[in-house]
Amino acid sequence: MSNKKFVFVVFATVSIALSLAGCGKKTGEEATVDTKSSSPAGGGASAYNESMGTATVTGKVAFTGPAPEKTKIQMSSEPSCLSQHKGPLYAQEGEINANGTLPFVFVYVKEGAEKWTFPTPSNPVTIDQKGCRYEPHVFGIQPNQKLVILNSDPILHNIHTYAKENAPFNLGMPTQGMKFERDFKKAEMPPISIKCDVHKWMVSYAGVVPHPFYSVTGVDGAFTLKGLPPGEYSIEAWHEKYPSQIQKVTVGDKETKELTFTFQG
Amino acid sequence: MIQSEPAGRQGVADPYGQGLYQPYLHRFAVLTAAASVILIAAGAAVTSTGSGDAVPDWPLAYGAVFPRMVGGVLIEHSHRLLAGLTSILIGVLGLWLWAKEARRWTKWIGGIACLAVLAQALLGGLRVLIISQESLQAAALRLSGLGHINPVRIGVAAAHAFLAQVVLCLTFTLATVTSRAWLGFAAVGKPRSFRAGRWLIAVMVLVVFAQLILGALMRHMGAGLVIPDFPLAFGHWVPPFVNLPLDARAPFPLTREDLLWQVLVHYSHRVVALFVMLLVVGLMIRGKRRRDSESISGRVIGLIAALTLTQVSLGAAIIWTKKAMPVTVAHVTIGALLLGACISLALWSWRAPGAPSEVRSSLPLGTMEVLPQ
């Protein structure tokens, strides 16, 4: 083979490989969902039923110390998003409630629920990209539970999960009204970071736990874990900015216990 | 006027059998080498801003050649466009060399550069698709036998960075060997005088190359700030490897194993930097002994010393500024320039033995005359 022919063959081969690599699933293609349920707990666990869950743990997440410096979000490059908000926008990690409590804290049973298996919820969890923010900012979901991903913005986003236990995904959502469905196969804590790599301020956290005993604090800083069978539990309060906290609690039949977590600024 | 006849035809000793100086070809080679440096800088901007996955599809971007350039898309897609431009430049250079260059080995370097930049583009695409294409991710996991895609992602990203440096070396080589000085015209000083240091320079090239790969690995592992202080490491000259500060309550805690690997890679990068500095001091001492400051090698050594000093300062500034993006990009860019300067110096030092020992700079272009020994 002459030199010229050799060069031509090499170039043609690489070009074909290049083309094939680009012939994947198109952006925006509707995803198929594997909704098979799985047993979240290990062997020897018994099935949970609602009649067992008579106890409740409730409480609040307080914040002490100086308030963190707020990080202002520069959204001027996206006027369609900016117009959906009133006043300046700040990163949600630095928010403190007016009553001195902390929002966006994921409170869940870390230990104590392993002895039961839980059915995969049939209702999906929805995350929306709206006004160049994720709604919700922090949420809980169970393994194999359907996650519906929406883009309500008239601009493009990508949604990228930085999962460490689960398979990460990165979906392009260039048009308004796009919808995908995905799920996480395994429990994963700390929560999975979900980011838009186009708009760096867009971030959300998904705590994937193998039971329904989780709660996210809101504007009142309160949380409630309902339906717990009597027993001893480790409850963890997780926040994206501050060190996690764990408390042990023992609840009896039809008992409600109150806990307070205090995060130091 | 530039004559186009090979020097050998004029009866001049020409131990390398090289062709004549082609100014436009050389300028184009320099432009291509500059483009490869700019491309590496753009790649550093992508990594530093975490924009590598802002465009989940490849080779198109959100199904288009020109998507809406905003935020991470602007950074990632600009990198892709620059990569395309650099690939075209390298392709044209390769074809030009193939058509017009007399030296066969130079043609082959051009050809290898073409293949390397194509492989580089494919690796860049693979780096993106391995996360966004679920079937590809599953295939990569099956092939690697790993439980998670993250090590594969880091491996592909590091390979992408490795090939970027290879492409840089090849383009700097082409820019050097097509130069007028290389071809013996208007040579400045005495390249031969530096022959004795050529092994030192070869070691320097290998060490700087390894250092850049370590740096790339560190960036892609996210280990740039795992040692938070400088010049000390956790308050010591050597990190306490058996007792590293592990914060289990951190919002996103590292495992002990991950922390150890990150500290090892980061600290290795610092140690190798020290080794590079020692090599530069060695080169400067050798150059000074030989009163080489006015020669090509002397000038390149001066440049290498300046680049190394700047590079170490920028490395420290990365820690002190907590990885400010412009500082990180400058650090990666200077690293690329340093490798390019080392390659150029190495080529000169290895060329020297058989090269004409001295060449009159006043000779008309297109002629060569070897002075008596």
Side-chain angles (χ1 to χ4, degrees), chain B residues 259-280:
Chain B
L259 179 64
L260 182 63
W261 273 112
Q262 291 196 9
V263 171
L264 268 174
V265 170
H266 184 124
Y267 192 65
S268 302
H269 191 62
R270 292 190 186 189
V271 170
V272 176
L274 185 65
F275 191 45
V276 170
M277 283 199 293
L278 291 174
L279 284 171
V280 172

Side-chain angles (χ1 to χ4, degrees), chain A residues 10 78 166 182 200 238 244, chain B residues 50 68 115 134 148 249 251:
Chain A
V10 170
E78 299 291 6
N166 287 278
R182 289 290 185 276
K200 301 296 172 194
W238 177 93
S244 300
Chain B
R68 185 166 165 262
L115 291 178
E134 286 161 20
H148 199 271
R249 289 175 58 216

